[in-house]
Amino acid sequence: MEAEPVRIRRLEIPAGPGAAGGEVAASARLANLVTCLLWGSNDHWRSPAVQLEQVRGSEDRETRLWAALAAGRHVGRAELSLPLADNLHLAEIAVMVHPRYRRRGIGRRLLEAAGDSARAAGRTVMVSWSGHRAGFDPEGPGTIRARTGHGTLPAAAPAVRFARACGYELEQVDRFSR
C-alpha cells in the first residue's frame, strides 16, 4: 500500500483579533500533539487561540507558517519567525512532523520552504531548536557536544539526526527542570 501524498502549503494567518483561524488552529493542535508525545505530558500545551495570537506577528516580528497535509490532515508544520527590529540577518525556524509521518522527507520539505522564504527575506543565519527528554548519559558515548562546549545531546535522537542531516550544528544546550 502506497502512502498518501503529502502537500506542503503556506498558511494564511488571519489578521485581526477574533478572526477565525481554522487552518492555524489545526496546525496548533498538531503542535500540541507532537509536543505532548515528546514530553509525555501536556505541560507545554498552548491553546490554539494563544498560538494564533503568537503567530500573528507584531511590529518587532513577522511569523510565517506552512502545513504538511496528508489526505487533508495536518501531519507536519514549519514556523518561520523573522525579527524586524534587530538581528535582521537571523531567521528562527521550527519544524514538527507527527511521528507516524517521519522519515518520508516531509520535515526536509518543510525546512526548505521556510528556509527559502527566509533567504528571500535577506536572512543569512538560520537557527532552530529541539526538545529532548532526560534519560541519557550526557557524558556517555553516542552524544554530540555543543560548540560552546557546554551540554550534549544524544546523536541518535530523531531531531538531532534530522538537524545534522540538514546541515545544522549543535551550538548551545539549555536545560529546564520541573
Side-chain angles (χ1 to χ4, degrees), residues 53-122:
E53 288 307 312
Q54 290 173 331
V55 299
R56 275 212 172 100
S58 67
E59 62 186 47
D60 295 339
R61 182 165 301 276
E62 177 185 350
T63 302
R64 301 173 187 173
L65 283 178
W66 288 262
L69 301 160
R73 291 184 319 272
H74 286 248
V75 299
R77 68 178 264 160
E79 183 175 323
L80 170 64
S81 181
L82 302 170
L84 300 175
D86 55 15
N87 294 313
L88 300 179
H89 64 291
L90 191 68
E92 299 171 25
I93 301 174
V95 174
M96 292 182 164
V97 176
H98 189 287
R100 285 191 201 135
Y101 288 84
R102 290 181 184 158
R103 314 276 312 156
R104 299 183 192 182
I106 297 168
R108 188 175 292 267
R109 289 171 56 203
L110 286 163
L111 183 62
E112 287 173 1
D116 289 348
S117 185
R119 283 185 288 282

Side-chain angles (χ1 to χ4, degrees), residues 22-45:
E23 286 288 310
V24 175
S27 180
R29 286 190 295 275
L30 172 74
N32 280 330
L33 174 63
V34 171
T35 301
C36 178
L37 291 171
L38 170 65
W39 296 111
S41 73
N42 280 326
D43 289 353
H44 299 280
W45 186 90

